[in-house]
Amino acid sequence: MFWRSLRRAWQFLEPAYAALVSFIIIFLAASAWVTGAMVVAFPQHMLNLHFQQMFTDFLASGWHPGSLGFLLLADIAIAIGLLNDIRMKESLMIRPRVAAVLACMIVFILITMAMPEYGKDLLLAHPVPLGLLTLLVVAVPRGISYAPPARARAV
Amino acid sequence: MRPLPGPAQYRLSHTRLPEPRLKTMLYLLIVQIVLLLLARRLAPVRHAVHAARADGSPAGSLRGRWIGAGFVRDEKGQRVPIKGKFIGSVGGDSMKAYGLPCGATFVGDRLTIAQRRELQEGALVVINAPAKYSPTGFRLRCVDEVRGDGFVTFKRDSSGRSHRARRLDEVVVKVTHVVP
């Protein structure tokens, strides 16, 4: 009953309602993927909730972000190349989405490769926000790959 | 007297995580999954609809959620309105010739009695009538003619099968958009 009322109330926001719900679902799914990857990579830190220590370890060595990026690329390459997931391929080939992925890659490279070299003090002073930003730029391409574009044909 | 712990036991006892923190992390993970499930419930309902023939239960659940509804745009780049619309997922290939392949999603208007009488030839509609071999009675049809006696006749499906005329009140939805 509660959910029916909430849905009815939200539908007043139409047409933004559907877009908002789809966006929330994709965002939650992508963040769940990133959380899972971090739990696998840093079980001790994650399960002890030592986020500051975890992000310091994560950002200070280029190995961890590199392996996370590789994991994401391998995941997408397997889906598109080996499993022939046409929808995922289409979802990553639209021009604005390509631009968003490239922007994320630039931010990722800046934080994980340039900052340990040229801005180590800043990195060590703010590991949590920078670490969260890094995970966000990983989650964006992941989320985009979950959201295939759909073109409706009028009948 | 209990024996002293061996090296392996010693290591195990010291690497064990403090329980409250471990529980907190588990709660966080559970909250994430629950939020995902709840957000999914806010997505519009998508009914399983047979293509022209109702041969058996359609694959998947009869009432699922259309997660990608918010990403759908029409040919002009506008969002397709879905409020109050009927959303269906095509099960089967027998409407392929009419641009409704298996697995496609469609959006349609629920019809009033007056609108049912004004259906044109070639309109794609959903009928709702009990099916012998399926738990859902939703089936797609292409209208041939609306007869004066309150019945609708339909065109043959992709496999060339004919379909019997249906009463107007069994025609419930007119398809407006197809997402292949």
Side-chain angles (χ1 to χ4, degrees), chain B residues 81-121:
Chain B
I82 54 165
K83 188 183 173 188
K85 305 267 183 169
F86 179 92
I87 298 166
S89 172
V90 185
D93 266 330
S94 49
M95 287 299 280
K96 205 174 175 182
Y98 297 101
L100 285 159
C102 182
T105 297
F106 64 87
V107 180
D109 288 327
R110 295 170 199 276
L111 297 172
T112 60
I113 298 291
Q115 287 169 330
R116 288 172 199 179
R117 290 186 196 287
E118 289 162 11
L119 284 170
Q120 300 290 314
E121 183 193 346

Side-chain angles (χ1 to χ4, degrees), chain A residues 17 22 48 151-153 155, chain B residues 21 42 67 73-74 99 176 178:
Chain A
Y17 166 77
S22 296
N48 280 308
R151 185 68 69 182
R153 184 170 45 78
V155 175
Chain B
R21 287 286 177 97
L42 289 170
I67 305 299
R73 290 176 186 271
D74 62 12
T176 56
V178 180

Side-chain angles (χ1 to χ4, degrees), chain A residues 8 18 33 42 44 46 52 68 71-73 82-85 91 106 108 115 134-135 137 141 143 152:
Chain A
R8 216 170 285 156
W33 186 87
F42 299 98
Q44 287 284 342
M46 276 295 270
Q52 184 144 1
L68 186 64
L71 184 66
L72 177 65
L73 283 178
L82 301 178
L83 304 178
N84 199 22
D85 190 337
S91 69
I106 290 168
F108 186 76
M115 279 192 86
T134 312
L135 295 187
V137 298

